[in-house]
Amino acid sequence: MSQSTVSSADGTPICYRTSGAGPGLIVLGGSLRTSEDYLPLATALSRSFTVHLMERRGRGASGPLGPGYALAREVDDLLAVQAETGARLAFGHSYGGLVILETARTSPVFERIVAYEPGVPVAPVPTAWMSPYRERLAADDPYGAFVHFIRGSGGAPAFMAKLPYWYLRFALRIGFRGPSWQRMRPLLAANVAEHEQIAAQQGELAGFAAVKAAVLVLCGSRTPGRAEYAALRDTLIDATLEILPGLNHFGPEGKTAPLVADHARAFLL
């Protein structure tokens, strides 16, 4: 992979890595994730596309979130990479899917988009966890902060959300120490900032009817709340929803990434 950097509208450097050959495709990841988490996906897609794997701001060689962080800054970053590469295709996971759809809503730069469980809010977004999360971060207690996120954000299995705070914190300290945690820990502050932007999008679903690109919405059969993705499909003017058996929210990562890539490829080509 070759590495390049562009300047976003506010001057923040945005890094992206390019591999493969074929139509240009930008890949944009989610919260608590770096580009490293999407290397298996990028590798699988690079057999058919020139893949530009972005490192979102606040990660790796890209610049910081910066003061006054907002979803609009992420849109500027994506537009900068799109202008530099000329890519007309995009794949977004989770928060990255929201960034791509928000970009497409106001700037018709993409012809086709794949969004795997994009972070477009349909149901009310839980926010009560954010204040204690920030308090734990300020106290240099990343595990404690992460427990508030697990218990309060609505994404954890119901049984896990019911476990006592002290028990989850202890379990995380013992069992959650590997490379994945080492990549996630520096992103904990960005995580709450990004989820605040998701919450700020509450009630804005109808605006995505302005997206002109064809969109494939993907979600895993093991992900709760799939009706939200059906609501997004019904709002977009040219969209299809596919439910992938056996996958969960993290389908575009690791061993299941090639399967997701196959579905994306069939739609994008």
Side-chain angles (χ1 to χ4, degrees):
M1 281 188 172
S2 62
Q3 182 167 302
S4 304
T5 302
V6 296
S7 291
S8 190
D10 65 354
T12 300
I14 301 299
C15 176
Y16 63 95
R17 293 188 278 185
T18 300
S19 61
L25 168 64
I26 296 174
V27 173
L28 200 60
S31 297
L32 292 173
R33 294 294 183 269
T34 72
S35 62
E36 294 291 325
D37 294 290
Y38 298 97
L39 286 176
L41 178 72
T43 298
L45 289 169
S46 67
R47 301 186 184 105
S48 304
F49 305 96
T50 300
V51 177
H52 307 289
L53 176 59
M54 281 182 59
E55 192 76 273
R56 291 202 295 108
R57 61 171 58 207
R59 294 152 171 80
S62 292
L65 262 62
Y69 171 78
L71 180 61
R73 301 289 77 74
E74 301 268 5
V75 170
D76 289 342
D77 300 346
L78 179 55
L79 287 173
V81 174
Q82 193 281 328
E84 184 72 15
T85 63
R88 301 284 285 170
L89 308 173
F91 180 105
H93 176 215
S94 194
Y95 190 73
L98 169 61
V99 173
I100 290 172
L101 290 173
E102 175 65 12
T103 302
R105 185 181 68 80
T106 55
S107 302
V109 295
F110 297 116
E111 295 174 354
R112 299 177 81 79
I113 294 167
V114 177
Y116 190 101
E117 301 194 4
V120 177
V122 176
V125 178
T127 59
W129 62 272
M130 295 180 179
S131 179
Y133 179 102
R134 288 187 183 278
E135 290 174 2
R136 287 294 86 208
L137 282 186
D140 195 25
D141 180 12
Y143 286 109
F146 198 58
V147 170
H148 283 297
F149 174 62
I150 291 172
R151 287 163 53 91
S153 65
F159 82 90
M160 186 175 291
K162 293 178 181 178
L163 291 173
Y165 172 88
W166 67 266
Y167 179 86
L168 270 178
R169 184 177 180 278
F170 176 76
L172 285 176
R173 286 182 63 88
I174 296 300
F176 204 26
R177 297 172 175 269
S180 178
W181 173 248
Q182 295 307 316
R183 289 198 299 272
M184 286 171 58
R185 180 171 177 169
L187 305 177
L188 292 176
N191 179 50
V192 67
E194 291 164 10
H195 277 81
E196 284 176 336
Q197 292 303 302
I198 293 174
Q201 291 292 306
Q202 182 68 46
E204 302 297 326
L205 177 64
F208 289 97
V211 174
K212 295 180 173 61
V215 180
L216 172 63
V217 181
L218 295 176
C219 72
S221 66
R222 294 172 55 196
T223 298
R226 294 191 298 275
E228 295 192 21
Y229 303 116
L232 175 61
R233 173 203 59 199
D234 295 342
T235 300
L236 296 163
I237 60 172
D238 183 4
T240 304
L241 172 64
E242 289 187 22
I243 299 174
L244 305 188
L247 300 193
N248 59 18
H249 184 65
F250 306 105
E253 304 172 30
K255 295 180 179 178
T256 56
L259 173 63
V260 174
D262 287 343
H263 284 264
R265 183 183 296 107
F267 175 78
L268 293 170
L269 286 177

